[in-house]
Amino acid sequence: MSAIVPNRSSMDKKPFRRGVSPPALIPYLVAGDPDLETTRRYLRLAASAGVFAVELGVPFSDPTADGPVIQEAARRSLRHETALSELLDWLGTIPPEELPPLYLMTYFNLFHHMGVESFCKKARATGRVAGVVIPDLSFEDSRDYRPLFRSFGINLVGFVSPTTPVDRARRIVREARGFVYYVGLMGTTGASLSITPAVRDMVGQLKQWTALPVCLGFGVNEPRMAREILGFADGVIVGSRLVREEEDPGLWEKTFLEFVAECRKAEPER
Amino acid sequence: MSRESAAIEKHKEASRKGSPSLPDYRGYFGEFGGRFVSETLMPALLELEEAFRLAWKDSSFRKEFYGMLAEYSGRPTPLYLAESLSREMGGAKIWLKREDLNHTGAHKITNAVGQALLARRMGKRRLIAETGAGQHGVATATVAAKLGFSCQIYMGSEDVRRQALNVFRMKLLGATVSPVDLGGRTLKDAISEALRDWSRTVGETHYLLGTAFGPHPFPLMVRTFQSVIGQEARRQFLRRVGALPEALVACVGGGSNAIGLFHPFVKDAGVRMYGVEAGGISISPGLHAARFAGGSVGVLQGTRTYVLQNPDGQIENTHSVSAGLDYSAVGPELAYYRNAGRIVFDSVGDEEALEAFRTLSRTEGIIPALESSHAVAYALRLARTLPRDSNILVNLSGRGDKDVMEVSRILEEKGERL
């Protein structure tokens, strides 16, 4: 595993150990949708449910990897000008025990605009940010920024997709930190995943190359599907299905807890 | 120096040492460019880069490309001395590179032909494209019809409204036109939607990007195809005048007609180059599309370049009377030459462009596209400051038929009559 300096939030949890750690559920939320108070409530619930991490989306005006549901949520959040830098300030005000490990997900321009180094400094200072998920920072372009993220102990998640050739996937997981995000389908968030033998094979392959949790995301729209995925993958990321309910806390909590319950029933292959 | 700027500095240094031809192997022109896309698209970009490299080395491919430009599109386009216009301005001579005389009415067809031939070579069966003014959409639909591709065009719904004629043309050519009802409902939003489509369908589909923008290899590939403009113009000028022009002028949306004209002249130190952006109503957020006047370096839709963005890094919407210039970012190679001091950028507002639209129509009997009218307007400004025996070459990138309804509506709104 990597020789990164863990920051506080990642130190809070024991490192992932395949076959020992519980299966990883990673819910995705859009920060500030519909408002930050609601986001805080969702984060608290996720922390008490013991999720592996929350992928916290920071809204961007031009989310090219997202489907309609998350685009709409980002628009709602941007109506009150949710911004990366202020979001970090806000996270710093929440008691650590109310927060699960956080991976901030957004497009590269927001980090670039703030300055990757300033972002890292500030994120580390809050002690609440385990890593970042940046869908439009290609493996090639990330070369310029990987050392920076590492030196601040911010995990830069690695993406693998169904179009990734095998030797390329191997290089990607070698440089990945935090977890490996396997995008199970071609397209944008919110489509519908089908669990094909090719998906299972790729996950199996990735698990042989890395001790990091290999998590499957994009199109996981049923709790039962999440449970099925956890039979062969280390983790599952649930996005649009939950974001759809963000405006109604009652509905969100109900759906989230359904996912939690199903994931607890998962029986990982040994 | 911070480590971050050190990383950027490395790119600049690599370019100064001059890999003789930019971009470098990672698609950077100095600090601009790159491939900021999702992993799903990266293998397709690598495949496209390799296919383009091999095709362009292959003389049979180039022969096919130039052959189709000659027979189908009508190249070379004429170099035309606008005598009456020059006389009326009383300054330098103004020459027009008549890209408006291409088949489908703009320079866009050249890139569409090149990429469609490449897509066929790669075995793709479907073309998708974004369009602003509709000229690139029409060009793509045209080559799709000719070469037997299925075709889908994404167009902001605001542009669908103001470019209704081009929407009809695309449909007539057999393309599906999908209006995009997101963001500012213009070009930027159409590109985002095309990228989303491409990530679903990348196996069978080629994304025929219309300008020298986006992730590598698009800026390189589009510039290579469009450089035929500057190569012809340079030859034609030397033959007609026996010297090179003092100045080149082109309008800049993404920048394909500009880089296409400029690139073959880059090493001609005596030739000054002017890129003209859309000044819109005024240079304040949301009212213009002058990226070098109101923007800063950012990353949008696959490339690092000058971008119009707010203090939080959110992309700003733009305004221009011309749909083809109404865009929040600019091609990375132009950003590179601008910072290197080789190309000067300025902007022309809606009013001045409309004025030039009418002036060129009245003096020369040529109705220019509203995009190209920005270049004409700037050339008129420049002509007054230069001696009579000097020469300005303007890229008349497209014809104005598509714009006459919109201009008539605007004039009516202002209570003006022709």
Side-chain angles (χ1 to χ4, degrees), chain B residues 209-235:
Chain B
L209 187 67
T211 190
F213 186 75
H216 181 59
F218 284 107
L220 165 67
M221 190 165 67
V222 176
R223 179 254 281 167
T224 304
F225 292 138
Q226 292 291 5
S227 287
V228 70
I229 303 172
Q231 287 152 6
E232 281 177 15
R234 203 170 178 286
R235 254 194 327 267

Side-chain angles (χ1 to χ4, degrees), chain B residues 175-198:
Chain B
T176 307
V177 180
S178 307
V180 179
D181 229 347
L182 301 166
R185 302 178 174 84
T186 57
L187 185 56
K188 168 171 75 75
D189 314 291
I191 295 178
S192 287
E193 212 46 30
L195 284 169
R196 292 185 186 110
D197 178 315
W198 204 28

Side-chain angles (χ1 to χ4, degrees), chain B residues 93-174:
Chain B
K93 289 202 224 21
I94 297 175
W95 299 75
L96 305 176
K97 178 62 175 162
R98 295 291 308 275
E99 291 298 302
D100 60 317
L101 293 178
N102 271 300
H103 179 42
T104 71
H107 72 291
K108 293 290 187 190
I109 188 80
T110 305
N111 168 53
V113 166
Q115 284 196 48
L117 290 174
L118 185 63
R120 189 172 68 177
R121 215 176 133 107
M122 294 172 75
K124 306 284 178 179
R125 301 219 304 266
R126 176 171 174 262
L127 299 178
I128 57 170
E130 82 297 341
T131 196
Q135 289 303 112
H136 175 58
V138 168
T140 303
T142 299
V143 295
K146 174 165 167 56
L147 298 175
F149 290 95
S150 75
C151 180
Q152 186 159 3
I153 306 293
Y154 291 94
M155 188 172 189
S157 54
E158 167 64 11
D159 292 337
V160 167
R161 182 195 64 73
R162 57 183 167 171
Q163 302 288 345
L165 175 66
N166 273 343
V167 174
F168 184 72
R169 290 168 80 197
M170 288 183 259
K171 289 182 178 165
L172 202 57
L173 291 160

Side-chain angles (χ1 to χ4, degrees), chain B residues 276-358:
Chain B
V276 186
E277 299 185 283
I281 295 166
S282 76
I283 307 293
S284 46
L287 299 180
H288 72 104
R291 289 68 44 106
F292 291 119
S296 50
V297 178
V299 173
L300 180 64
Q301 294 173 332
T303 196
R304 184 175 195 273
T305 185
Y306 278 83
V307 175
L308 292 170
Q309 52 190 332
N310 75 10
D312 295 338
Q314 305 294 346
I315 307 306
E316 274 167 357
N317 288 329
T318 49
H319 164 84
S320 168
V321 67
S322 88
L325 304 184
D326 206 348
Y327 183 54
S328 317
V330 64
E333 191 169 13
L334 290 173
Y336 169 78
Y337 283 122
R338 184 261 193 183
N339 280 12
R342 184 64 189 95
I343 303 175
V344 172
F345 282 84
D346 205 336
S347 63
V348 160
D350 287 354
E351 286 295 326
E352 197 180 347
L354 283 165
E355 195 57 43
F357 177 87
R358 293 172 69 179

Side-chain angles (χ1 to χ4, degrees), chain A:
Chain A
M1 279 262 299
S2 59
I4 54 162
V5 188
N7 69 12
R8 218 166 107 208
S9 58
S10 45
M11 276 193 298
D12 289 341
K13 274 187 84 100
K14 285 186 204 140
F16 176 83
R17 280 180 63 203
R18 183 168 299 134
V20 176
S21 304
L25 170 64
I26 307 179
Y28 170 89
L29 295 175
V30 177
D33 175 38
D35 52 54
L36 284 176
E37 262 322 294
T38 311
T39 301
R40 181 170 174 171
R41 181 169 164 184
Y42 295 164
L43 290 173
R44 198 187 304 132
L45 185 64
S48 68
V51 299
F52 173 77
V54 164
E55 203 191 323
L56 187 60
V58 186
F60 179 55
S61 51
D62 297 83
T64 49
D66 284 304
V69 171
I70 293 179
Q71 285 177 45
E72 190 53 49
R75 243 192 319 273
R76 283 195 297 264
S77 177
L78 279 176
R79 257 183 239 144
H80 43 91
E81 298 180 359
T82 308
L84 181 57
S85 178
E86 280 90 74
L87 191 72
L88 291 173
D89 293 335
W90 176 76
L91 287 173
T93 66
I94 300 177
E97 61 277 13
E98 287 187 28
L99 289 175
L102 293 176
Y103 280 80
L104 296 186
M105 181 281 180
T106 193
Y107 292 81
F108 188 60
N109 194 53
L110 295 189
F111 300 104
H112 181 273
H113 193 70
M114 184 171 171
V116 174
E117 194 160 357
S118 327
F119 165 79
C120 288
K121 273 186 193 147
K122 196 162 178 177
R124 190 183 164 82
T126 66
R128 312 289 199 276
V129 179
V132 289
V133 177
I134 314 175
D136 65 338
L137 184 60
S138 65
F139 181 60
E140 279 73 6
D141 287 310
S142 74
R143 204 177 76 180
D144 296 337
Y145 304 98
R146 285 199 294 260
L148 257 176
F149 284 116
R150 276 178 204 170
S151 67
F152 286 93
I154 305 283
N155 293 323
L156 178 62
V157 167
F159 275 100
V160 176
S161 96
T163 59
T164 310
V166 170
D167 55 333
R168 180 178 169 84
R170 196 170 190 152
R171 283 185 286 136
I172 291 172
V173 299
R174 197 162 44 207
E175 299 295 339
R177 297 292 183 269
F179 63 93
V180 170
Y181 194 137
Y182 178 50
V183 177
L185 56 83
M186 282 165 62
T188 47
T189 54
S192 190
L193 178 67
S194 58
I195 301 169
T196 60
V199 167
R200 287 171 182 269
D201 288 352
M202 191 61 176
V203 169
Q205 182 73 267
L206 295 171
K207 280 164 69 175
Q208 287 179 11
W209 292 332
T210 181
L212 297 177
V214 174
C215 304
L216 183 56
F218 274 44
V220 182
N221 45 26
E222 286 304 327
R224 288 189 65 88
M225 186 192 271
R227 176 177 164 186
E228 191 187 343
I229 288 168
L230 291 176
F232 61 93
D234 300 318
V236 63
I237 301 151
V238 183
S240 299
R241 180 64 189 88
L242 282 169
V243 172
R244 225 158 71 190
E245 326 279 29
E246 272 179 5
E247 280 192 296
D248 180 343
L251 214 51
W252 190 90
E253 281 162 17
K254 181 172 164 286
T255 312
F256 170 70
L257 292 173
E258 277 169 27
F259 272 98
V260 172
E262 281 294 322
C263 289
R264 284 201 181 124
K265 287 188 232 158
E267 289 166 22
E269 57 193 28
R270 297 284 161 174

